[in-house]
Amino acid sequence: MKGNKDMQTAIQKAIALIVSGDRELCNILLVTAKMSLSSSFFALCIGVPVGIWLGSGRFPGRGVLVVLNRTLMGMPPVVCGLLFYMLFSGVGPFRKLHLLFTVTIMILAQLCLITPLVIGNMETYVSGIAGSVRETAMGLGLGPVKTFFLLANESLYQIFSVYLLAFARAIAEVGAVSMVGGAIAWKTNVMTTAIMQYTNRGNFSLGIALGMILMTVSLCVNIVITLLQRRFR
Amino acid sequence: MEVRAFSKSYDQNPVLRFPAFSFEKGAVYAVIGANGSGKSTFARVLAGALFCDQKSSPLPAGCKVGYMPQKSYGFRMSVEKNILLGGKDRQRARQMMEGLAITHLAERRADRLSGGETARMALVRTLMKPYDLVLLDEPTAAMDIASAALAENCILDYRRETGGVMVIVTHSLKQARRLGDQVLFFHQGNLLEWGPSAQVLEQPEQEETRRFLEFYGA
């Protein structure tokens, strides 16, 4: 009974925090939005063309690249975080860039995690349609650039789906961003790292508030992308 | 147009052997043969969609080739935009769409057409501009009888206008007779017999050709 009451109080406090526009909460939201939107957008910019190229290309070594990418798709976030930590820490080769514990390195680490997912999904989809598109385009005397854009146009629906996947991974990710970002309050704390922090401190209301917002943001992005998908289907 | 001898193998199993051959300009060649005889592989190698074992095109350098694959593909855009991918002349596009009775489909999305409609659109798209060699792989296979007749007229008009070489892969011996000046008969990956349509279809020299024609009721 007491547990239920505590939970109820925490949820009430969480709603009050959201409604009052708590400054710390707003800051966490802004950092999260900046990080997840940037990393998913850049992952899409890199991953879509590479995925199309890999899915439609006929060149030696293509199979090796596909296997390599599929391996990177399963990279644990903490391993990615560790790698970036070592590269940018005081003893790493990129220490002079002073990027450790900044939002920029969090975006870079996420880019490293998400881009293989975008490439892999695009490659799988494009390889299914590439034969027909390439053969038809070749029969019309169209060059490789035009064929590439035709493939991109044919994959438009898939590109939206892949963006959803990239964004979902970015906003829900915790391992890599906590290692390279350090979850510093007012600077690099994002929703997932903040939920962990506040839960550890026993501050359930802020944790629940963040959890509710995280799910709501995810729902909103899904609705927008689904509507766009319908429009461009 | 001189075509160099070539072969095509999959995993060291030969599926096609084609001798050096001379295509006559302005002529229509109907390619016939049973399933798996190498007809489509022949068309795909000439189109450049498949590498032959020799790894270089058997066609003369600079030869412009138009090709309609066996499985027509409608890109995710309007029928008119699809057709204009084949050539920029809007007036010609409209004329040819009228010829194949697809004018009413101009604004429709090509990826939402039926198989027969897609094939008609693909034929118009392929014949939008002149080529030295046009390869049509079973262009009317998905069409009904009326549409196939329109398609054949369209092919013959194109031949009159451009004077290039046309190669039409078909399973219809009647179509081979109607369209082809020459007939090429493929059997088990080999060009077994070729010559004027009337000669190959009515007085074949090879026993395999005779058997094929009897079976398909020429």
Side-chain angles (χ1 to χ4, degrees):
Chain A
M1 282 297 284
K2 192 178 180 299
N4 279 348
K5 201 164 184 186
D6 284 349
M7 180 73 99
Q8 208 176 344
T9 316
I11 291 171
Q12 278 168 355
K13 277 187 182 174
I15 293 167
L17 275 170
I18 295 168
V19 173
S20 68
D22 180 76
R23 281 187 62 219
E24 190 176 3
L25 191 69
C26 288
N27 180 267
I28 292 168
L29 280 176
L30 275 175
V31 175
T32 308
K34 186 179 172 186
M35 180 200 67
S36 49
L37 288 172
S38 306
S39 57
S40 53
F41 173 74
F42 290 128
L44 205 71
C45 291
I46 299 167
V48 167
V50 176
I52 292 175
W53 171 69
L54 212 53
S56 63
R58 293 183 295 181
F59 52 88
R62 180 188 167 275
V64 176
L65 288 178
V66 170
V67 170
L68 198 67
N69 185 67
R70 285 180 187 165
T71 310
L72 289 174
M73 282 168 80
M75 181 195 266
V78 282
V79 173
C80 177
L82 178 67
L83 184 76
F84 272 79
Y85 191 92
M86 284 161 62
L87 288 172
F88 289 88
S89 68
V91 289
F94 302 122
R95 60 186 175 275
K96 284 184 181 164
L97 294 172
H98 302 294
L99 285 178
L100 205 60
F101 308 128
T102 64
V103 178
T104 308
I105 198 168
M106 289 158 73
I107 293 171
L108 288 174
Q110 287 216 324
L111 203 57
C112 179
L113 278 175
I114 300 166
T115 308
L117 290 177
V118 176
I119 294 173
N121 275 274
M122 286 305 296
E123 182 271 320
T124 306
Y125 179 77
V126 169
S127 60
I129 59 164
S132 306
V133 172
R134 200 176 40 222
E135 205 160 306
T136 305
M138 183 181 279
L140 298 171
L142 304 176
V145 176
K146 187 82 186 174
T147 307
F148 178 87
F149 282 109
L150 281 172
L151 277 166
N153 188 51
E154 294 302 294
S155 315
L156 210 53
Y157 186 84
Q158 181 68 12
I159 291 172
F160 285 117
S161 300
V162 165
Y163 182 75
L164 266 186
L165 177 77
F167 180 78
R169 176 79 192 241
I171 201 166
E173 203 279 312
V174 61
V177 291
S178 64
M179 282 184 86
V180 296
I184 302 165
W186 301 96
K187 193 184 173 196
T188 58
N189 215 5
V190 288
M191 283 196 269
T192 48
T193 52
I195 289 171
M196 274 180 62
Q197 266 184 359
Y198 293 121
T199 308
N200 288 341
R201 285 185 210 156
N203 186 352
F204 291 108
S205 13
L206 200 53
I208 291 170
L210 285 165
M212 285 161 70
I213 293 167
L214 188 67
M215 292 311 292
T216 312
V217 169
S218 202
L219 177 72
C220 291
V221 172
N222 266 284
I223 290 170
V224 171
I225 299 289
T226 307
L227 289 174
L228 281 171
Q229 269 184 325
R230 278 195 191 167
R231 191 182 153 86
F232 289 101
R233 189 159 202 159
Chain B
M1 182 190 293
E2 303 298 324
V3 177
R4 284 186 292 278
F6 66 90
S7 59
K8 175 66 190 170
S9 309
Y10 289 113
D11 300 325
Q12 294 180 336
N13 294 318
V15 293
L16 178 67
R17 277 175 235 92
F18 191 77
F21 195 85
S22 181
F23 283 121
E24 203 177 304
K25 213 177 168 196
V28 177
Y29 291 81
V31 180
I32 59 169
N35 285 338
S37 58
K39 306 184 301 292
S40 290
T41 305
F42 167 69
R44 294 182 74 203
V45 170
L46 289 191
L50 264 186
F51 283 122
C52 59
D53 298 339
Q54 288 70 22
K55 301 285 178 202
S56 64
S57 172
L59 294 172
C63 177
K64 285 184 184 162
V65 183
Y67 168 55
M68 177 181 166
Q70 192 177 91
K71 202 176 168 193
S72 304
Y73 190 90
F75 292 113
R76 211 187 61 85
M77 55 179 82
S78 74
V79 167
E80 190 175 17
K81 282 183 181 166
N82 260 275
I83 289 170
L84 292 172
L85 284 171
K88 298 288 170 211
D89 189 342
R90 281 177 186 273
Q91 202 181 335
R92 180 173 174 77
R94 271 193 291 272
Q95 276 173 0
M96 292 194 61
M97 282 163 78
E98 271 173 35
L100 268 164
I102 54 167
T103 314
H104 63 291
L105 301 174
E107 298 304 320
R108 284 260 297 274
R109 278 266 298 274
D111 55 327
R112 292 175 184 170
L113 299 177
S114 71
E117 288 170 337
T118 308
R120 282 190 276 165
M121 179 212 65
L123 183 63
V124 171
R125 190 171 59 187
T126 309
L127 303 183
M128 274 294 285
K129 62 184 175 200
Y131 294 99
D132 300 320
L133 171 65
V134 176
L135 301 149
L136 306 174
D137 194 350
E138 298 186 34
T140 60
M143 297 181 198
D144 57 39
I145 296 169
S147 301
L150 292 176
E152 286 183 10
N153 286 338
C154 193
I155 291 167
L156 291 172
D157 286 346
Y158 179 84
R159 174 239 185 125
R160 267 192 295 276
E161 286 167 21
T162 61
V165 178
M166 291 188 93
V167 173
I168 301 168
V169 177
T170 181
H171 275 293
S172 162
L173 297 178
K174 286 179 183 164
Q175 188 172 68
R177 201 191 302 269
R178 282 194 299 268
L179 294 179
D181 302 307
Q182 304 267 327
V183 166
L184 309 181
F185 173 66
F186 279 75
H187 179 69
Q188 293 179 351
N190 293 298
L191 176 62
L192 201 68
E193 190 166 351
W194 65 94
S197 304
Q199 184 195 309
V200 175
L201 295 174
E202 281 157 29
Q203 294 164 319
E205 288 173 6
Q206 303 289 329
E207 183 53 35
E208 288 298 342
T209 319
R210 221 181 331 267
R211 226 178 286 162
F212 173 81
L213 295 173
E214 274 170 20
F215 190 76
Y216 280 85

